[in-house]
Amino acid sequence: EYSDAVEDKAPYGPGGVYTYSPPTGLADTYFAFIRQFSGGGYSIDLGKDYETALAQLQDLKDNLWIDQQTRVVFVDLTVYDANTDMFCIARMAAEFPASAGVVPSATFRIQRIFSYKNSQDYARAFFEILLVLFVIYYVLEEVSEMRQKRWEYLNDRWNYVDWLNLLCFFVVIILHIF
């Protein structure tokens, strides 16, 4: 069974060329299909051209970079499509459970990094900000009503509908941000 406590951190390979990298602030945990893994591990940045990357992969294969102790291999990449002005951040994983076999999984996040570039985008940004301001206003209005009516506020079922509506707006806003 995999555990962070028994994770091997010693250098290995010819001359100890493969060294362990500890988790960094943003990548403390990686999720795969079966379980989650710590953000630390052995990583390789492949070359930018095909021949270099292929030579590096062959070197990894020749030096048994994936062995019986390997529990997961992540492949992270980012691609950009200039036609749609969108990025795709992909994380593909191959898990090697103790029971043998390979369990593949993948996540893809597609997003536009540069959201506001023309007048239409700025108009959308204006209305997004306006929506956030309206939500803040209605939250303050509900809080004011709660202070005025105290326990009577809970007797009106429409107040529950108002809070459910505001909660939905908050979820949409948070999902839009992230």
Side-chain angles (χ1 to χ4, degrees), residues 7-143:
E7 188 175 64
D8 189 9
K9 297 177 178 152
Y12 75 99
V17 69
Y18 308 128
T19 57
Y20 180 85
S21 300
T24 58
L26 293 176
D28 288 336
T29 304
Y30 288 113
F31 294 93
F33 188 77
I34 296 174
R35 62 172 295 119
Q36 66 184 31
F37 296 89
S38 73
Y42 300 88
S43 65
I44 301 294
D45 288 329
L46 295 179
K48 295 181 181 182
D49 61 272
Y50 178 75
E51 289 79 19
T52 305
L54 195 59
Q56 286 176 299
L57 289 172
Q58 187 61 48
D59 186 51
L60 293 173
K61 183 178 178 184
D62 294 343
N63 292 308
L64 300 175
W65 193 63
I66 298 174
D67 59 15
Q68 288 183 343
Q69 294 180 345
T70 304
R71 288 295 160 250
V72 67
V73 173
F74 288 102
V75 177
D76 294 334
L77 60 109
T78 303
V79 293
Y80 175 69
D81 181 7
N83 291 330
T84 60
D85 191 30
M86 295 190 129
F87 287 88
C88 178
I89 298 114
R91 166 164 292 146
M92 296 165 279
E95 286 182 86
F96 305 97
S99 60
V102 178
V103 179
S105 62
T107 57
F108 299 94
R109 288 189 63 190
I110 298 171
Q111 58 191 82
R112 179 173 290 156
I113 303 294
F114 313 110
S115 296
Y116 307 109
K117 294 192 313 188
N118 58 34
S119 59
Q120 242 181 349
D121 294 334
Y122 289 121
R124 188 180 77 235
F126 170 77
F127 287 113
E128 289 170 354
I129 292 169
L130 190 64
L131 175 68
V132 170
L133 292 174
F134 272 122
V135 169
I136 291 170
Y137 169 78
Y138 285 117
V139 166
L140 294 174
E141 182 182 314
E142 288 299 316
V143 169

